[in-house]
Amino acid sequence: MGFLAQDGGAVSAPGAALPRRSSAAGGSGPASQLLLALVCGGYATGAAFGWGSRELASTMGDFGLGGAAVLAALSCFWYGRTHRTRFRLAWFLFAASSAMAGLGNVVWGWYEVVLDQHVPALSAADFCFLLFAPPAIIGLLVLARRPVTRAGWVCLALDAWLTGGSLLTLSWSLALAHTAHFQGESVAHAALSLAYPLLDIALVSMVLALHFRRSTTNRSAINTAIAALALTVLCDALFTSPLLRSHYRSGQILDAGWFAGYMLMAYAPWVAREEGPVAAPRAAHPAHHPSRPIAGSLAALTPYLAAAVCTLGILYNVLDGHRVDRVVLFTGCTVVLALVVRQGIMLLDNISLTQELAQKENHFRSLVQGSSDVIMIAAPTGILRYVSPAAAGVYGREAEDLVGSELASLIHPEDLGRVVHEVRRFLAAQPAEEPTTRIECRFRSGGGEWLNVESTVNRHHGGLIFNSRDVTERVRLQAQLQHTAEHDPLTDLPNRALFTKRVQQALSGRRATDAGTAVLFIDLDGFKAVNDTVGHQAGDELLVQAARRLQDSVRAGDSTARFGGDEFAALILGDGTRDPAAREVRILEIADRLRLTLSQPYRVEGGTEVRVAASIGVAFAEPGITPGELMRNADLAMYRAKQAGKGRVELYAPQMQADVVRRTELASRLRTALHDGEFALLHQPIVDLQTGRITAVAAQPRWRSAQGILFTPAEYLRVAESDRGDECARTAELGRWTVEKAVEQAAARRRAGHAVPVHVRLSASRLLDRSLPPKHLEELLVRHGLPSGALVLELSGSDPRVPMDELERRLTALRRLGVRIALDGFGSGYAAISALRRLPIDTLKLDRGLVDGVVESARLHKITAGLLRIATDLGMQSVAEGVDVAGHVLALRAMGCTHGLGTAFAGPLDEHRLRLALDRGSYPVPASAVDGVGALPVGALPAPAGLPSASRSVTGGGAGSLAHAPLRSNNETPVPPA
């Protein structure tokens, strides 16, 4: 079966129509042609019947012809003036020629019709008719194709003389010889009599020469002009004949020929405007014009036909018994000599062309054989007729072995259908619109492997030319670049872009209806600690092993990905189960298996064994959900798993999105809360556990929103302490406001006689932030006049990302300013021990978790006692947070704790109540335990003198009796404590 064959034949485009030439001129329509035929036919009919009278015949024969000639002159002149074409000069010359003919006819009519006398032998009309031919001859030369070589110009002149000489010989033998033997006529009259036929012969010669050398542009108009001049010259030749001239009268049938010639010349420029780019492609394909070979043959035979006509003229004189005229003999000799010269020029030109063709063929052969591309010529049946030698280096097969084989046998079967379709489409297209096409497919090499080949295809005598090159390396590089763009460079898992594309395919492809498709987001808990302790190289090895475990734990049709850092994802396709509970159980089992697999110990660089946990969020694909929404849901579920304790699996619930919306709204309101004055600063007294004296106060900000909602610190600080950039800025602004407000109010209390230090809590990361430079704190203390020791910064947070060296330098600089440092939350993490070892700490503040169960738990009692001994041995003060019952006071005091704060004394107080408490100076403390340690109820601690008493709730965690007193001053801050 042939490569290009279809139904036993070659694929071609016989029915593909080339673009038709559009005619833009209105004069080339059938209506104008019919009108022209009617006018010429009417004139011919009138001339045939003599026009009915001699006067009318003379008028129509003279002024009618003059009017037609003038109309032709005006038509050609107007066309040349309004259309800027390359042949404008030719139409102007034709206009001049027609004007001379019209003027001659008008002069002729002046004598015959107006003056009613015979036209003189020599008149102005004769000179006008004589000037008709020269402009027409020059115009025909303008229309002819100009030769490009000097030999071409010589051949054109010789062809013109061959034609003209043969016609002169024939005409002289038939009629001109009789005209030349004038008797009693003047020389001017004889010369004028010979000038008419000689110019007509020259014009006929140009017409014949131009017929085979005319330009391809605006062919219809040129043909019409040639026909008009040929008809005019024919009528002139008949008029020159002595037989007709002696009996000629104006208005006879001969005038109908001149009239038709003039009317054709008037019609010629409007036949069709010059074709634009549409005509050029038609001229480029001679196969679509069957008349071209015939025209070319006639053009080649023209010199020989002219010589034959000349020979016939001489033979006529010889056979008729006449003596050979010297003019005929001279003309015949020059014609023969011109023919010989022309043949010599053509022979030399053919030799030159043959040498040039051989040189070009050798040049082409060298290019083809030396090209690195493989050039193949395929017949319409798909059989290879030629293969360049480059095939040995590209395909690994000799060119001779490929010649005669089918092209289809070399193409990969998977690519064959696409290649055949492209070839058929290319052959059916118009060559002018699509001269070439490009095909890329796989070719079989000599070693049996498949090579990626790119081919440029061109048409060639019904077949095809393939210019092919090996692009296998380029295809491999493109595939590698595509793989790199869609895969993680460390683990070689798909990245976020490719994973999103696969989720899109799962939601919109043929498996979109499979219920149970889910996305899992996975985060490795504790991975950062591996990087910090073992090193980043070990962290990379852990990620590679985790990726391998993840990929081995899913099915072949499922997908895995790494998004960056320690975040992974998995796409689990549904199995068609319709029961939601069963789907959920199946996916949760897969997720829990992944969690256990990823939580197994990893052996990394140097044989070190490390452990991480996996927090996994699961989201199911619901109808109408987008890939972005599905992945967002899985991300939310994963963060919920981390917040719930890490190392667990969480299933997405719509409430998670609602929580995100709520936090977003809260963060948005927090942005303007400080500027709108919605924050207030409360203070909680810090009491000496031995004496009950208030030794310091702890500043605590509170936020009451414009809607009247009171937010506890746990709510808005969780939003403010996010790691996102805009919320970090709000955290910095809140911390700065807290420090400035606390110092300002401490200075005001000091001026009022209450010189107690103020504790302000700041995280270690916030202390190093640029928003709170050391100079700012120094200027703040100087501006408000606070002495050394009046400000205590409670260092909170155990972020391992905080550089310990920089933090140590910063705290040392603050201590030189007189700022004391307290370590907040001592006992709540390993970072507290590291900070205690390196940082300049003055006070240890026990975490609430060490105080809550110190009375009931003997184990916790021992831990808390040990930490307090450390503080005592280091010479530091200790402050216990969360002292809410009298048992806490007794137990902590017995362990050596020096200070405490909590609802056992007072909750956070506004400024008015705080000053009342400072006026009293102390709170009563229990002297000893009643019925054992911790048995003394909270109510046993009376309120300070002068303040109302109220019950206190341990579980409420709220304000104390002072915070909820039923009476308050008009000067109290309107923000209640939490």
Side-chain angles (χ1 to χ4, degrees):
M1 180 178 179
F3 171 60
L4 305 178
Q6 183 183 24
D7 300 332
V11 173
S12 61
L18 291 175
R20 299 181 179 178
R21 276 194 328 195
S22 59
S23 177
S28 61
S32 59
Q33 296 174 1
L34 179 61
L35 178 61
L36 178 65
L38 290 176
V39 172
C40 294
Y43 190 94
T45 302
F49 291 99
W51 295 102
S53 65
R54 183 177 179 180
E55 292 77 9
L56 182 59
S58 298
T59 302
M60 295 301 297
D62 296 332
F63 292 108
L65 288 181
V70 171
L71 178 62
L74 293 176
S75 175
C76 293
F77 178 79
W78 182 255
Y79 183 85
R81 187 172 181 273
T82 57
H83 296 78
R84 296 188 176 274
T85 65
R86 50 182 293 196
F87 298 136
R88 291 182 66 196
L89 180 59
W91 295 114
F92 284 141
L93 291 171
F94 291 152
S97 175
S98 301
M100 290 296 101
L103 183 59
N105 282 290
V106 170
V107 173
W108 196 287
W110 176 262
Y111 284 106
E112 281 193 340
V113 178
V114 178
L115 300 180
D116 194 16
Q117 63 183 21
H118 292 288
V119 181
L122 286 176
S123 65
D126 294 324
F127 293 99
C128 290
F129 290 141
L130 190 64
L131 294 176
F132 165 78
I137 293 173
I138 300 175
L140 290 175
L141 287 174
V142 173
L143 291 179
R145 285 201 307 265
R146 298 179 181 180
V148 296
T149 62
R150 187 176 302 173
W153 283 104
V154 175
C155 288
L156 177 62
L158 292 175
D159 290 344
W161 171 243
L162 286 171
T163 305
S166 62
L167 293 177
L168 178 61
T169 302
L170 186 60
S171 301
W172 190 274
S173 301
L174 295 176
L176 295 182
H178 301 286
T179 304
H181 295 83
F182 58 89
Q183 295 179 356
E185 296 182 2
S186 63
V187 176
H189 185 272
L192 188 63
S193 300
L194 289 175
Y196 283 133
L198 292 178
L199 288 175
D200 287 341
I201 289 173
L203 190 58
V204 170
S205 301
M206 291 306 304
V207 167
L208 292 176
L210 180 62
H211 179 69
F212 302 112
R213 291 178 177 270
R214 61 188 182 274
S215 176
T216 57
T217 305
N218 206 357
R219 186 179 300 275
S220 300
I222 296 176
N223 288 338
T224 307
I226 292 175
L229 293 175
L231 186 58
T232 304
V233 170
L234 177 62
C235 294
D236 288 344
L238 293 175
F239 176 76
T240 308
S241 173
L243 182 62
L244 292 180
R245 187 171 185 179
S246 59
H247 298 88
Y248 172 77
R249 295 290 182 273
S250 296
Q252 293 181 350
I253 192 64
L254 186 61
D255 291 347
W258 278 313
F259 183 83
Y262 297 148
M263 294 303 295
L264 280 176
M265 182 60 71
Y267 175 71
W270 308 97
V271 171
R273 295 183 181 177
E274 295 184 26
E275 291 84 349
V278 179
R282 294 175 59 91
H285 300 280
H288 296 283
H289 300 277
S291 62
R292 294 286 182 83
I294 299 176
S297 301
L298 291 177
L301 293 176
T302 299
Y304 305 100
L305 293 176
V309 170
C310 182
T311 304
L312 289 176
I314 297 176
L315 290 176
Y316 172 78
N317 282 274
V318 174
L319 295 177
D320 197 27
H322 296 90
R323 184 176 59 86
V324 178
D325 195 283
R326 285 176 295 177
V327 175
V328 174
L329 183 61
F330 176 77
T331 305
C333 291
T334 56
V335 167
V336 173
L337 180 61
L339 181 61
V340 172
V341 173
R342 188 183 187 283
Q343 287 300 108
I345 293 175
M346 294 302 297
L347 180 60
L348 294 176
D349 193 32
N350 288 337
I351 294 174
S352 176
L353 290 176
T354 302
Q355 293 176 350
E356 184 179 357
L357 180 62
Q359 182 180 2
K360 290 183 177 180
E361 183 178 358
N362 292 333
H363 181 63
F364 171 76
R365 188 179 300 277
S366 300
L367 289 177
V368 171
Q369 294 181 351
S371 174
S372 60
D373 294 348
V374 180
I375 299 175
M376 301 182 296
I377 300 178
T381 57
I383 303 298
L384 294 177
R385 297 304 185 193
Y386 173 80
V387 179
S388 66
V394 176
Y395 299 149
R397 303 176 65 174
E398 296 297 331
E400 293 77 6
D401 299 338
L402 293 175
V403 174
S405 61
E406 290 188 359
L407 187 59
S409 63
L410 303 175
I411 301 176
H412 196 283
E414 297 178 359
D415 301 338
L416 182 59
R418 175 173 52 84
V419 172
V420 171
H421 174 76
E422 175 62 22
V423 169
R424 290 174 178 173
R425 185 203 61 77
F426 171 65
L427 290 178
Q430 298 182 6
E433 296 180 357
E434 191 173 5
T436 63
T437 187
R438 182 167 295 180
I439 296 175
E440 188 169 334
C441 60
R442 285 169 289 179
F443 269 38
R444 186 190 300 276
S445 67
E449 61 181 358
W450 294 102
L451 304 175
N452 293 92
V453 175
E454 182 185 64
S455 303
T456 301
V457 186
N458 296 270
R459 297 173 179 84
H460 176 70
H461 298 299
L464 296 172
I465 297 179
F466 291 82
N467 190 351
S468 306
R469 63 199 61 86
D470 184 9
V471 294
T472 304
E473 292 300 325
R474 189 193 72 185
V475 172
R476 290 175 180 172
L477 178 60
Q478 289 177 344
Q480 181 180 356
L481 292 176
Q482 183 71 18
H483 181 85
T484 303
E486 295 182 341
H487 288 76
D488 175 58
L490 177 63
T491 62
D492 203 38
L493 289 181
N495 57 15
R496 184 184 295 271
L498 181 56
F499 186 78
T500 304
K501 187 185 302 182
R502 291 181 178 178
V503 173
Q504 174 67 37
Q505 293 172 355
L507 297 181
S508 59
R510 62 180 181 84
R511 306 198 61 169
T513 56
D514 290 352
T517 298
V519 169
L520 280 63
F521 265 44
I522 306 164
D523 187 86
L524 300 181
D525 304 319
F527 172 74
K528 188 172 184 352
V530 174
N531 275 340
D532 294 338
T533 56
V534 188
H536 289 276
Q537 181 65 32
D540 291 344
E541 292 184 11
L542 187 150
L543 291 175
V544 172
Q545 295 181 32
R548 190 178 302 115
R549 293 183 187 182
L550 179 61
Q551 203 165 15
D552 294 341
S553 300
V554 299
R555 300 170 302 179
D558 299 333
S559 301
T560 58
R562 180 188 176 219
F563 289 172
D566 57 346
E567 291 187 356
F568 295 85
L571 172 65
I572 308 299
L573 299 178
D575 58 357
T577 305
R578 296 295 177 183
D579 185 9
R583 295 199 308 265
E584 183 175 329
V585 169
R586 184 181 72 89
I587 293 297
L588 290 179
E589 288 178 353
I590 295 175
D592 197 59
R593 185 174 68 250
L594 289 177
R595 182 187 64 81
L596 294 175
T597 301
L598 296 175
S599 300
Q600 295 297 320
Y602 296 85
R603 191 167 297 278
V604 293
E605 184 181 11
T608 305
E609 185 177 283
V610 295
R611 289 178 177 268
V612 293
S615 297
I616 302 178
V618 181
F620 282 98
E622 302 294 339
I625 195 170
T626 64
E629 293 173 347
L630 180 59
M631 295 169 64
R632 180 205 63 194
N633 294 345
D635 196 12
L636 290 175
M638 185 265 291
Y639 275 106
R640 177 59 60 89
K642 294 178 71 69
Q643 293 173 359
K646 302 181 180 180
R648 54 184 295 157
V649 177
E650 283 287 341
L651 184 62
Y652 170 78
Q655 182 60 34
M656 296 180 185
Q657 181 62 26
D659 292 343
V660 172
V661 172
R662 178 178 176 276
R663 289 190 55 180
T664 303
E665 293 176 352
L666 185 61
S668 178
R669 292 203 300 269
L670 183 61
R671 184 181 296 112
T672 58
L674 282 172
H675 300 284
D676 294 344
E678 297 179 5
F679 272 89
L681 199 61
L682 304 183
H683 295 81
Q684 190 170 13
I686 299 177
V687 179
D688 188 324
L689 298 182
Q690 293 289 342
T691 63
R693 185 173 58 87
I694 301 176
T695 60
V697 294
Q700 298 179 4
R702 292 292 187 271
W703 175 26
R704 178 183 289 277
S705 68
Q707 293 78 16
I709 303 174
L710 182 65
F711 294 102
T712 63
E715 290 178 308
Y716 66 79
L717 287 180
R718 185 168 58 248
V719 176
E721 291 174 0
S722 171
D723 287 335
R724 282 171 284 190
D726 55 343
E727 295 177 0
C728 283
R730 290 194 293 275
T731 307
E733 189 174 2
L734 177 60
R736 181 167 178 165
W737 177 87
T738 302
V739 172
E740 293 177 351
K741 195 69 174 176
V743 171
E744 178 186 351
Q745 293 183 2
R749 286 192 295 271
R750 179 171 293 274
R751 288 192 297 270
H754 303 295
V756 290
V758 59
H759 287 233
V760 180
R761 180 181 297 174
L762 281 179
S763 65
S765 59
R766 190 58 55 211
L767 187 63
L768 297 179
D769 193 79
R770 295 180 180 179
S771 62
L772 199 65
K775 289 186 178 180
H776 177 72
L777 284 176
E778 182 179 2
E779 293 173 357
L780 188 65
L781 295 174
V782 172
R783 183 169 69 250
H784 292 284
L786 282 186
S788 176
L791 176 63
V792 181
L793 290 182
E794 296 181 355
L795 191 65
S796 65
S798 57
D799 190 351
R801 294 174 296 182
V802 175
M804 193 63 68
D805 295 337
E806 185 177 354
L807 182 60
E808 182 179 2
R809 289 193 298 269
R810 181 66 183 275
L811 293 179
T812 303
L814 289 175
R815 290 194 68 186
R816 286 198 295 266
L817 295 177
V819 179
R820 299 176 62 191
I821 307 300
L823 185 60
D824 183 48
F826 183 69
S828 60
Y830 73 93
I833 301 298
S834 177
L836 187 62
R837 180 173 59 88
R838 299 189 55 182
L839 301 180
I841 304 299
D842 300 302
T843 302
L844 290 181
K845 191 174 180 182
L846 294 182
D847 185 70
R848 178 182 292 272
L850 298 175
V851 178
D852 284 342
V854 71
V855 177
E856 295 83 3
S857 173
R859 184 182 182 87
L860 187 58
H861 187 279
K862 293 181 180 180
I863 295 174
T864 305
L867 294 176
L868 288 173
R869 280 196 299 272
I870 293 176
T872 302
D873 294 341
L874 294 177
M876 300 179 182
Q877 290 186 348
S878 55
V879 178
E881 188 177 8
V883 181
D884 296 330
V885 296
H888 292 164
V889 177
L890 296 173
L892 292 170
R893 188 171 59 190
M895 296 177 192
C897 182
T898 59
H899 297 78
L901 73 160
T903 55
F905 307 107
L909 306 175
D910 58 22
E911 189 66 21
H912 174 71
R913 294 185 178 183
L914 177 62
R915 292 201 179 189
L916 292 178
L918 291 176
D919 288 337
R920 296 301 176 184
S922 63
Y923 289 97
V925 293
S928 60
V930 179
D931 300 328
V933 176
L936 184 66
V938 175
L941 284 177
L947 293 178
S949 176
S951 61
R952 300 172 182 169
S953 172
V954 176
T955 59
S961 58
L962 296 178
H964 296 287
L967 299 176
R968 68 177 184 178
S969 168
N970 293 330
N971 295 326
E972 283 186 35
T973 304
V975 179

